[in-house]
Amino acid sequence: MAVYALTGFSLVSLLSFGYLSWDWMKPSLVADVATDPMEKPLPPTFTRPPHIIFILTDDQGYHDIGYHGSDIQTPTLDRLAAEGVKLENYYIQPICTPSRSQLITGRYQIHTGLQHSIIRPRQPNCLPLDQVTLPQKLQEAGYSTHMVGKWHLGFYKKECLPTRRGFDTFLGSLTGNVDYYTYDNCDGPGVCGYDLHEGEDVAWDQSGKYSTFLYAQRVSKILASHSPKEPIFIYVAFQAVHTPLQSPKEYIYRYRSMGNVARRKYAAMVTCMDEAVKNITWALKKYGYYDNSVIVFSTDNGGQTFSGGSNWPLRGRKGTYWEGGVRGIGFVHSPLIKRKRRTSWALIHITDWYPTLVSLARGNLSNVQGLDGYDVWPAISEGKESPRTEILHNIDPLYNHAKYGSLEDGFGIWNTAVQASIRVGEWKLLTGDPGYSDWIPPQTLTNFPGSWWNLERLTDGLRKSVWLFNITADPYERYDLSEQRPDVVRSLLMRLVHYNRTAIPVRYPAENPRAHPDFNGGAWGPWASEEDGDEWEGGREPLKSRNKKKKCKICKLRSFFRKLNTRLMSNRI
């Protein structure tokens, strides 16, 4: 009963916040554009390739948008989605790097070697250099390409940087999470550095500016300096709403009645991001882009429930293969859509944006082999059936194997201890350890998550390694049908076997001490030279350093910093 009471509270709050009274077209605190009335827009044109704005948010939960019944104010996103097409059968990946790599390449992570975890700051790893990226294909089609925000696809070499992978300009961070004001990022005790870059240079002068504000302002400046007669692609990868939970006070004040502090700060960050999107939309209209534009909005993974996020009523959270980890918020807003103001249940995956956007741009896909994505524009714009019938969520051979999994449980064709998940039609199969599996209501109570009774928890899955759900009939994954339908389990296991045969070796090299920011002037950035070559063999094991003396010196320095940090921490305690 407590669960349903919380859901009811969210719906009542949605109405009480008064979304319809919010003037979403009025510039806000984030805006840096003029507030004069706009000229009457020209009729939509279909004769030129459209301007493409792709907005990706970080760690925003499935529940954390107004039109999903949230108590968080997102009037801009609600309006854009309502006037466009809401994607309610849209899937992403459970963590950062995999979603971003699949967006940029149109390929499953098993086909880029990034099927395990994320790319960490000190790893000699990045998006494979042989991959032709989405912005590169758009450049070929005559587009000006720009990236603003979080990269998180590796940077150990200059060849890995956004400006070497298809973007004309870049302002943002290279690592996974930074302070919203200082842009510092620590990858362990004593391993800290500055991470805000303009092009291939460190943007020291931008420190102190809240990143959501900074990124929205940069998008506006790009639009102001470009001609709307020439096609433009802007990839806006907001840092928000990833931890650390930081927001300007005026946004937090709006949620002062929320008892849960983490949820309060998180809500403020979501609303601030919503206003940033409002200002980007305003700039598109002001500078003459809007009538020939396509705005795509997507989250990168499920919300982190212990950091304020909510995926309710879905099961699981960020980092899991339950629906709460992989079902995303998505919508498309564009004057060019033929059937607007509707909800689409077409099956769509984040890999689909690559061929969809290149096709919209009238680019050439004939020379791109091995894409896992499909052109889904007819499904979005005209309501046609999606060409996609299945999604490989992932196969991760390095993740901790499930204790009770075995080849025998997989009919002799699949080791069910291996973490994997696949969706085929209405069926979804999970093997191995899918991750944290609770249903977590919105965190409205003061001491949540300490109040464990607010969770719905199943303990009968502790000795399991196979789950099967009819996602169409059971989107919340409450009824495991693996024992009732062994025929379906076997069929989906065969699909996993098929995909696994096409997988390339995992790229997950050991961390290298040369990446320490102290060796790069205090900032995170490229540290390997072109002569270094790849730092792994066989896709997994790091190569030993050719310069043993240099390696030893670096190791001694790293040991020194660790000891120094330990002493400092001891003094603090």
Side-chain angles (χ1 to χ4, degrees):
M1 292 299 293
V3 171
Y4 293 103
L6 282 171
T7 305
F9 172 79
S10 298
L11 292 172
V12 171
S13 299
L14 179 66
L15 297 175
S16 65
F17 279 125
Y19 288 137
L20 297 180
S21 64
W22 193 305
D23 184 3
W24 76 289
M25 285 305 300
K26 183 179 179 181
S28 67
L29 294 172
V30 188
D32 67 347
V33 298
T35 59
D36 295 334
M38 296 181 293
E39 296 180 1
K40 186 176 181 180
L42 297 173
T45 175
F46 298 87
T47 60
R48 301 193 308 271
H51 308 296
I52 301 170
I53 311 298
F54 196 103
I55 300 172
L56 187 71
T57 60
D58 200 342
D59 285 9
Q60 183 179 0
Y62 178 83
H63 181 72
D64 299 328
I65 192 166
Y67 66 81
H68 280 173
S70 178
D71 53 350
I72 298 176
Q73 301 171 19
T74 59
T76 302
L77 300 180
D78 295 345
R79 175 69 69 87
L80 291 173
E83 295 180 350
V85 177
K86 299 174 184 176
L87 308 178
E88 290 300 326
N89 203 7
Y90 173 58
Y91 286 86
I92 49 183
Q93 296 306 114
I95 48 179
C96 300
T97 296
S99 281
R100 294 160 202 274
S101 70
Q102 296 191 50
L103 165 65
I104 292 294
T105 67
R107 289 171 168 81
Y108 291 140
Q109 58 203 89
I110 64 165
H111 295 148
T112 59
L114 300 175
Q115 55 266 58
H116 179 66
S117 191
I118 60 173
I119 295 178
R120 302 191 179 280
R122 288 178 284 173
Q123 283 184 314
N125 196 10
C126 72
L127 189 72
L129 299 177
D130 61 351
Q131 293 290 327
V132 179
T133 67
L134 171 60
Q136 286 173 332
K137 294 303 294 182
L138 294 177
Q139 282 181 332
E140 291 178 8
Y143 275 69
S144 173
T145 59
H146 307 268
M147 180 180 173
V148 180
K150 172 178 169 179
W151 177 237
H152 208 185
L153 289 175
F155 58 88
Y156 82 105
K157 285 183 175 183
K158 285 190 175 181
E159 289 79 5
C160 302
L161 297 176
T163 48
R164 306 290 180 99
R165 304 312 304 271
F167 290 104
D168 296 326
T169 69
F170 169 68
L171 174 67
S173 60
L174 299 174
T175 61
N177 67 303
V178 299
D179 186 282
Y180 281 74
Y181 292 95
T182 67
Y183 300 97
D184 291 329
N185 177 27
C186 293
D187 186 41
V191 189
C192 301
Y194 184 82
D195 183 18
L196 183 65
H197 294 74
E198 174 90 53
E200 299 182 7
D201 299 321
V202 182
W204 297 103
D205 59 321
Q206 302 292 346
S207 179
K209 300 177 182 179
Y210 187 66
S211 72
T212 305
F213 289 6
L214 178 66
Y215 295 155
Q217 291 166 358
R218 174 51 59 95
V219 173
S220 178
K221 290 178 181 178
I222 291 172
L223 293 172
S225 61
H226 187 77
S227 170
K229 295 181 180 180
E230 301 297 329
I232 190 170
F233 170 60
I234 306 180
Y235 171 36
V236 188
F238 282 113
Q239 174 187 353
V241 289
H242 196 291
T243 54
L245 300 179
Q246 297 172 304
S247 173
K249 292 182 179 179
E250 58 267 29
Y251 291 90
I252 297 176
Y253 185 75
R254 301 182 190 183
Y255 297 99
R256 59 192 179 280
S257 61
M258 279 190 178
N260 183 276
V261 175
R263 180 70 173 170
R264 185 189 312 158
K265 293 179 179 179
Y266 174 92
M269 295 165 70
V270 173
T271 296
C272 184
M273 177 272 296
D274 180 86
E275 292 200 12
V277 174
K278 175 177 64 177
N279 292 306
I280 291 173
T281 308
W282 173 268
L284 286 170
K285 292 195 172 187
K286 174 180 174 58
Y287 297 117
Y289 296 87
Y290 177 79
D291 290 323
N292 189 39
S293 69
V294 174
I295 301 172
V296 180
F297 180 89
S298 172
T299 49
D300 72 334
N301 48 246
Q304 181 53 271
T305 53
F306 294 138
S307 298
S310 175
N311 305 304
W312 181 259
L314 302 180
R315 186 177 187 177
R317 64 186 184 192
K318 173 184 177 178
T320 76
Y321 289 95
W322 303 107
E323 291 292 283
V326 298
R327 181 170 288 203
I329 299 173
F331 65 78
V332 180
H333 178 96
S334 172
L336 308 180
I337 294 175
K338 293 182 179 180
R339 292 183 56 197
K340 305 180 182 68
R341 299 180 180 273
R342 64 184 182 86
T343 297
S344 171
W345 294 95
L347 186 61
I348 297 175
H349 184 248
I350 195 167
T351 54
D352 297 331
W353 296 120
Y354 186 111
T356 300
L357 299 181
V358 173
S359 296
L360 271 178
R362 302 174 188 174
N364 181 16
L365 288 170
S366 63
N367 58 351
V368 181
Q369 303 298 320
L371 288 181
D372 294 307
Y374 295 85
D375 180 359
V376 293
W377 184 250
I380 294 171
S381 178
E382 304 172 44
K384 293 184 177 181
E385 186 176 351
S386 172
R388 177 177 289 281
T389 59
E390 64 183 47
I391 296 172
L392 175 68
H393 292 302
N394 195 27
I395 301 171
D396 186 348
L398 299 190
Y399 193 80
N400 296 332
H401 282 199
K403 183 177 181 180
Y404 296 97
S406 68
L407 190 62
E408 181 181 358
D409 289 341
F411 298 95
I413 59 175
W414 183 263
N415 182 358
T416 63
V418 175
Q419 186 191 63
S421 181
I422 189 170
R423 163 90 180 262
V424 179
E426 61 187 10
W427 295 103
K428 178 181 177 182
L429 179 77
L430 304 97
T431 70
D433 179 4
Y436 190 86
S437 63
D438 292 339
W439 294 268
I440 306 177
Q443 303 170 22
T444 56
L445 302 183
T446 303
N447 58 344
F448 189 92
S451 299
W452 59 267
W453 47 267
N454 289 301
L455 306 178
E456 285 191 62
R457 176 169 294 166
L458 288 181
T459 58
D460 59 353
L462 296 180
R463 294 177 178 271
K464 288 180 60 64
S465 62
V466 178
W467 294 261
L468 177 70
F469 301 96
N470 184 321
I471 290 299
T472 303
D474 178 25
Y476 310 142
E477 297 172 299
R478 293 181 178 273
Y479 306 104
D480 177 16
L481 302 176
S482 59
E483 295 183 4
Q484 292 93 318
R485 295 300 303 272
D487 58 321
V488 178
V489 171
R490 183 182 178 88
S491 175
L492 268 62
L493 287 176
M494 288 298 295
R495 293 304 295 162
L496 285 178
V497 171
H498 163 74
Y499 279 112
N500 198 46
R501 288 171 179 162
T502 70
I504 69 172
V506 179
R507 303 164 67 100
Y508 197 73
E511 296 181 344
N512 192 310
R514 292 167 60 192
H516 199 298
D518 285 355
F519 304 131
N520 191 38
W524 292 102
W527 47 268
S529 65
E530 296 182 14
E531 292 73 24
D532 284 339
D534 285 344
E535 296 288 321
W536 55 81
E537 286 180 333
R540 289 183 58 178
E541 296 297 329
L543 293 175
K544 294 183 178 180
S545 174
R546 296 175 183 175
N547 191 339
K548 293 185 177 181
K549 291 183 178 180
K550 185 175 182 179
K551 181 179 179 182
C552 291
K553 289 180 180 179
I554 293 174
C555 290
K556 289 179 180 179
L557 283 171
R558 182 171 64 171
S559 177
F560 168 77
F561 283 120
R562 283 180 174 173
K563 291 179 180 178
L564 178 62
N565 181 70
T566 301
R567 292 179 181 177
L568 292 173
M569 292 299 292
S570 299
N571 292 334
R572 288 182 182 179
I573 295 172

